[in-house]
Structure formats: structure tokens, C-alpha cells
Amino acid sequence: MDFSYSDKVNELRRRVSDFMDDYVIPRHRRFVEEAHQGTYTVSFLNDLKALAREEGLWNLFLPHLKEGEPGTRLSTIEYAPLAEIMGQLPWASEVFNCSAPDTGNMELIHMFGTPEQKKRWLEPLLNGDIRSCFAMTEPDVASSDATNVTTVIKRDGDDYVINGRKWFITGAASPNCKVAIVMGKTDLNADIHRQQSMILVPMDTPGMNVVRNISVMNHLSYESHCEIVFKDCRVPASALLGGEGEGFAMAQARLGPGRIHHCMRSIGQAELALKLMVERSLERKTFGKYLHEQGVVQEMIAKSRCEIEQARLLVLKAAWMIDNVGAKGARDEIAMIKVVIPQMQLAVTDRAMQVFGAMGLSPDTPLPDLWTMSRALRIADGPDEVHLRAIAKGQIKAAQKGAHDSGKFFTPPDRASERSIRADQIDF
Ligand SMILES: Cc1cc2nc3c(=O)[nH]c(=O)nc-3n(C[C@H](O)[C@H](O)[C@H](O)COP(=O)(O)OP(=O)(O)OC[C@H]3O[C@@H](n4cnc5c(N)ncnc54)[C@H](O)[C@@H]3O)c2cc1C
């Protein structure tokens, strides 16, 4: 495995960094002001998007783009360092049309959409003209087990009728969000993994109501995490994404790349937290010493650097696996990064807050946002425990197949010779 950055990637890293420095980071304060006033699509976003597209820094994430589709066709491993740079600010990825949940949704429609669905939804998404959301989680059932979803998608003549309630649906309150990919059940009698289907629902469909934007840790996110009620919501049968009963398998396909993108962005955010921590330690003095001269603070800095490096290598390995053996073959690595990276980011951000003192908890630094996002990520896209369970299952299955031939490492005592040693034979 080779994780070194090619010349092409280094050039793109430089260009994305320059773009961030020149246009994105200087607007962060204004972004926060506008977003806190409840303006979800801030006034300057479209201008920045147009500029990024003009500079060719657009749709950097999708390796399998077809002829004529806008984007760079980078592999997953090439995209990783760029996602890290964009990920530093929670809103920056959208400038380059690389933000969640759109990237996962675009991949999904790209893989499974009909030509008509691609024309209607994929094209405007790839062009950054609209946004989308993905609606799977429900308040009434444990949704970390996707077989539990209870939303019903019932065939009625040439239509499907949807009834159910979803929540924590990221992006649904954005005025630019025009379509939801909704997961529900089309056949309650099928095999447990064949009951689910996905359907494309325009946000203005009668019977689909976004009832609230739910705050996360009492933090009302500008991107929104919404509760949506579907009551006799009717869409034409042609809106079904993939076939009936394929929803579960498609959800698995979507979550692989989606999860690694989140982890790449998290590494960028952890880097930012560490940078802030070190800079603060250089300027703040307590008990006659700068903070960076205190051993405890040095340990916090060093541990953070070690953990970020470990995490990045694991993400690059997962990216390499996705590129070389596919998301299915990289299942274990994807589960591992989904556990390791949010916990790493949480730990690093927490240390940075500690070094900052009270200011680290205030809105005057990005740290509370970074902390909240990493805490949420331990649950969003599947909680840690579910991924740990998947990793353990893989290990156990391999051992059961005999792949772990560890017997040769045991050295049982030689009982026969043990018995032959008796006290009366020993020369004391
Ligand atoms: C900020 C944010 C954004 C989100 N965005 C979206 C979105 O856009 N679309 C969407 O559909 N969903 C979204 N979600 C929802 C998220 O994916 C779910 O919350 C997650 O899958 C867990 O489902 P649940 O909340 O129903 O928890 P449950 O399934 O009820 O699980 C609760 C807890 O049980 C424990 N647990 C579960 N299974 C096991 C196990 N096998 N072994 C041991 N312990 C276990 C875990 O600790 C888990 O946290 C988002 C969530 C957050 C916080």
C-alpha cells in the first residue's frame, strides 16, 4: 500500500488550501453571523461555489463520474487529503460541492438511478443547484438496526403512498433541499433484509411535512437535523430508487463512502483543534510559565499529534481498500475508522478546550462546534457499538474458519516430565 501523495494530489492540496485561505476562512465570521440569524443558505455561498467550480475544484469526491459529468474523478485515496482540508470548517465542503449528505446521495443515484432519475436529480446535484437529504432514522424504533424501520411505502396503482415519521434528517430544512431519499418497507412478508426500499420524494410533495429542526446538544445547527412526518404522501411508482426490496443493500452501499468522507473531514477538524491548542499554549502564561512549558500541556499536545497520525493512516488504508477491493471488501476498515476517528476528534478537541480554559467553551472559538460534531458522529451513521460489533464478528468468523491458526503459539507444560520431578529427587 502506498499512501504518498502524488504530484497531482499535492497540486490540488495547494489549490484547495489557497482557496480556503483566500475565500472561505476570511468569510467564516460572516458565515457564523448569518447562520446564527437563521439564514440557512448564507448570502455569499453561491458566489463561492461558482468560483470553486470555475477553478476546477468541484465534485472532488466521485471517482466514477461519467463522460460529461462535472468533477475531477479522483480516487478515494486521492480525495482523502482534500476532504481533510475542506473539512476544517463545517460548512466549507459545500463550497466545493462535496458536502454530506449530498455526496452519499449522489453516489447512490449515480449507482442505482434510472436515466430519468439521474436527469431530474443527479444533474442538478452534480451542478450544485439543489441539495438533498437522506431519511432513514425513526424516533419510534432503534434505527441503528435498519431492518427496524416502520415507514410504509405502499404500492397503489401507478403510485406509492408513504406513511411514517423520520427524525434527525440532516439538511431537510435547507431551502435548497429539493429531494429526500426515503427508506421504508414495501413488503412486510419478505425476508428481513428484503423488506426495505428507497424512494425519491420531492420536498414539496403534499403529505410530506418537515415539522421541526432538532437541536443537537442544545446547538441548533444551521444545516438542520429535522423531524419529518409522511402522511399519505403520494409519489409516482417511477420514483422508486433501485428495485423493491433492495433498500437495505443500497443503504449499505451508500454508507461506505459516506462514512469515510465524514472521517476525512474529522481529521481536518482535529488538526485545526490541535493547531489552536498549540498556538494558545504559546501565548498564555500561568504560574510564571507559558502553557507550552507545562509538562501536562506538552503531553496533551503530543498525545493529540500521535492520535491524529494513527487515525489518518487508518483512514488512508480504508480509502486504499475501497479503491482496490471495493467498499464491501473494505467493510472492516470502514467500521474501524467510524469508531476510531470520532473518538480521536472528541479527545483532541476536548484537550484543546481544556487548554483554552473558559474561552474554549465560548462561541469565540470553533471548538464547541467541533466537539459537538464529533460527539454526534459517535452516533450518526451508526453508533460505535454497532461498528464494534461488526468488527468483532469479522474477527470471530475468521477464527472460526481457521484463519487464525494460533495453536502453534501455545506452549503447554510437559506434564510427563512434571510428574517425574518429585521432592525426594531434588537435591536441596
Ligand atoms: C447529528 C446527527 C445527524 C444525523 N443525520 C441523519 C440523517 O441525515 N439521516 C438519517 O436517517 N439519520 C440521521 N441520524 C440518525 C443516526 O443515524 C441514528 O441516530 C443512529 O443510526 C442510531 O439510531 P438511534 O438513534 O435510533 O439509536 P438506537 O438504535 O436506539 O441505539 C441506541 C444505542 O443503543 C446502543 N446499541 C445499539 N445497537 C447496539 C449493539 N448491537 N450492541 C451494543 N449497543 C448497541 C448504542 O449505544 C446506541 O447509541 C443523525 C443523527 C445525528 C445525531
Side-chain angles (χ1 to χ4, degrees):
M1 288 180 195
D2 181 3
F3 298 156
S4 56
Y5 301 144
S6 65
D7 290 346
K8 174 175 88 171
V9 169
N10 273 328
E11 172 63 10
L12 278 166
R13 286 174 69 215
R14 185 193 59 71
R15 289 175 54 209
V16 173
S17 278
D18 287 352
F19 196 97
M20 289 287 289
D21 288 345
D22 293 345
Y23 305 113
V24 181
I25 296 170
R27 287 177 174 78
H28 183 56
R29 189 178 293 276
R30 208 169 126 205
F31 176 90
V32 172
E33 280 164 14
E34 288 193 27
H36 282 189
Q37 284 162 11
T39 318
Y40 292 127
T41 304
V42 296
S43 56
F44 50 86
L45 197 63
N46 284 340
D47 290 343
L48 285 187
K49 281 166 78 168
L51 198 57
R53 186 164 180 179
E54 225 175 88
E55 297 207 3
L57 302 174
W58 193 253
N59 290 337
L60 300 154
F61 67 97
L62 203 66
H64 308 295
L65 281 170
K66 300 210 175 74
E67 202 52 44
E69 292 175 337
T72 47
R73 295 182 186 80
L74 297 176
S75 65
T76 318
I77 201 159
E78 288 173 326
Y79 175 58
L82 309 175
E84 196 180 312
I85 300 166
M86 295 182 277
Q88 286 173 83
L89 290 180
W91 58 278
S93 303
E94 190 181 347
V95 171
F96 307 91
N97 214 36
C98 290
S99 55
D102 299 305
T103 58
N105 292 344
M106 284 188 252
E107 299 223 14
L108 205 50
I109 305 175
H110 205 259
M111 278 189 280
F112 302 107
T114 62
E116 292 72 34
Q117 290 168 344
K118 287 182 182 167
K119 179 102 197 111
R120 183 165 182 200
W121 301 120
L122 184 62
E123 265 185 39
L125 280 167
L126 285 172
N127 286 328
D129 294 335
I130 63 167
R131 297 206 61 193
S132 59
C133 63
F134 183 76
M136 182 161 82
T137 304
E138 301 180 3
D140 298 330
V141 289
S143 302
S144 49
D145 176 356
T147 63
N148 281 343
V149 297
T150 59
T151 293
V152 174
I153 305 174
K154 194 167 184 286
R155 183 79 191 228
D156 182 29
D158 289 340
D159 299 331
Y160 281 102
V161 179
I162 308 163
N163 278 287
R165 184 182 290 267
K166 301 285 184 185
W167 78 342
F168 279 91
I169 308 311
T170 302
S174 162
N176 267 355
C177 179
K178 300 296 181 199
V179 64
I181 299 179
V182 180
M183 171 112 149
K185 288 196 174 171
T186 36
D187 183 357
L188 297 177
N189 297 315
D191 173 79
I192 188 78
H193 294 112
R194 296 277 314 166
Q195 297 181 0
Q196 305 78 11
S197 302
M198 287 189 194
I199 196 153
L200 290 153
V201 184
M203 294 300 285
D204 57 3
T205 311
M208 176 184 192
N209 292 309
V210 177
V211 291
R212 63 170 170 150
N213 175 7
I214 306 166
S215 63
V216 175
M217 315 287 291
N218 276 343
H219 175 279
L220 203 59
S221 138
Y222 73 89
E223 57 181 342
S224 76
H225 306 291
C226 301
E227 184 165 345
I228 306 179
V229 176
F230 294 89
K231 178 113 183 40
D232 297 329
C233 175
R234 186 176 285 271
V235 286
S238 58
L240 199 73
L241 187 59
E244 272 198 22
E246 289 175 7
F248 188 87
M250 290 196 294
Q252 299 303 106
R254 179 193 184 279
L255 288 172
R259 281 176 182 147
I260 198 168
H261 295 168
H262 271 314
C263 292
M264 293 164 177
R265 293 183 203 107
S266 281
I267 291 176
Q269 290 166 15
E271 282 285 6
L272 175 63
L274 174 57
K275 183 168 180 261
L276 295 173
M277 185 193 324
V278 177
E279 285 176 5
R280 178 74 164 181
S281 76
L282 290 173
E283 66 192 30
R284 204 82 167 161
K285 228 175 183 176
T286 54
F287 302 98
K289 277 185 182 174
Y290 283 104
L291 287 179
H292 74 89
E293 293 171 318
Q294 309 280 1
V296 186
V297 174
Q298 288 174 4
E299 190 179 320
M300 289 187 193
I301 293 169
K303 267 189 177 166
S304 301
R305 172 49 62 211
C306 297
E307 289 167 14
I308 292 173
E309 295 298 326
Q310 288 171 327
R312 180 183 287 114
L313 284 174
L314 193 53
V315 167
L316 290 175
K317 183 188 175 198
W320 188 94
M321 296 279 292
I322 290 176
D323 288 338
N324 287 277
V325 295
K328 207 166 169 197
R331 200 171 35 201
D332 283 357
E333 281 73 15
I334 293 169
M336 286 180 228
I337 57 171
K338 183 60 187 57
V339 174
V340 169
I341 279 71
Q343 291 192 22
M344 174 282 292
Q345 189 192 346
L346 197 60
V348 172
T349 313
D350 193 73
R351 289 183 199 121
M353 286 167 139
Q354 197 67 16
V355 168
F356 264 81
M359 191 186 182
L361 309 186
S362 78
D364 294 356
T365 77
L367 294 172
D369 282 345
L370 300 183
W371 190 92
T372 306
M373 285 167 66
S374 47
R375 186 63 191 87
L377 212 50
R378 289 194 55 202
I379 292 177
D381 273 0
D384 292 358
E385 292 79 3
V386 172
H387 298 296
L388 287 169
R389 176 174 172 266
I391 298 163
K393 263 176 134 176
Q395 296 294 301
I396 292 162
K397 213 163 149 190
Q400 282 167 339
K401 273 192 189 159
H404 290 215
D405 182 16
S406 54
K408 55 183 175 265
F409 294 105
F410 290 117
T411 47
D414 183 344
R415 304 276 175 212
S417 59
E418 233 176 46
R419 264 198 308 279
S420 68
I421 302 168
R422 296 197 317 261
D424 60 345
Q425 291 174 331
I426 297 171
D427 190 9
F428 286 103

